[in-house]
Amino acid sequence: MSTFSDNLSDRFMKLVISILKVENQISRKFSSRHIFGQLFRSATSAGANYEEARAGASSADFIYKMQIVLKELRESTYWLNIIEHAKLISGEEEIHIAHSESKELANIVAKCIFTAKSRLSKSV
């Protein structure tokens, strides 16, 4: 049986995989490649930082690293919005999957941060 953290790790991996599928459909123009590069960096950074947060040395360290994860997810959502609205992609299904997953993960991470801050303030 997987834990919540493992399931969340899997979702970060699925986000990156869906973004890799977007790469196959994105325009080869310089601007499109640049925007995709920004998206790829922010999405992969979110997953990597989540793994770092899981190994946080303290509650404060966990919260700090999760805030970085949230920032990276918000940036990913921004780039996905640009790709979608500027129609830089030939298909729409993968961009919708990635966009939805990015927003859902951001909501989950925000709730984790809120819960961790609440617990930290109660323990002080």
Side-chain angles (χ1 to χ4, degrees):
M1 178 188 280
S2 293
T3 65
F4 175 78
S5 298
D6 291 336
N7 290 336
L8 207 49
S9 288
D10 290 344
R11 288 187 71 175
F12 277 104
M13 197 173 326
K14 287 177 185 174
L15 172 63
V16 173
I17 290 167
S18 69
I19 288 170
L20 289 172
K21 290 178 182 177
V22 166
E23 180 182 25
N24 295 331
Q25 300 173 355
I26 198 140
S27 165
R28 298 289 177 215
K29 293 181 354 187
F30 174 78
S31 58
S32 300
R33 302 303 302 161
H34 173 74
I35 290 167
F36 178 80
Q38 295 292 105
L39 168 62
F40 185 76
R41 280 187 283 286
S42 61
T44 55
S45 176
N49 279 298
Y50 174 70
E51 292 301 324
E52 284 293 314
R54 288 179 67 182
S58 65
S59 294
D61 187 38
F62 172 79
I63 292 166
Y64 173 75
K65 289 176 180 170
M66 288 296 278
Q67 288 172 325
I68 293 170
V69 172
L70 184 57
K71 287 179 182 184
E72 295 294 343
L73 285 168
R74 286 182 176 154
E75 181 179 343
S76 296
T77 301
Y78 171 78
W79 294 119
L80 286 162
N81 280 333
I82 290 176
I83 291 169
E84 185 175 13
H85 293 291
K87 299 188 185 330
L88 301 178
I89 190 168
S90 59
E92 292 186 14
E93 184 178 352
E94 287 304 326
I95 197 78
H96 290 302
I97 291 169
H99 195 243
S100 175
E101 188 67 6
S102 180
K103 289 196 299 190
E104 286 179 28
L105 283 168
N107 288 337
I108 292 167
V109 168
K111 181 65 175 167
C112 288
I113 293 167
F114 178 80
T115 301
K117 283 182 174 181
S118 295
R119 288 182 180 162
L120 186 62
S121 66
K122 288 179 184 176
S123 68
V124 175

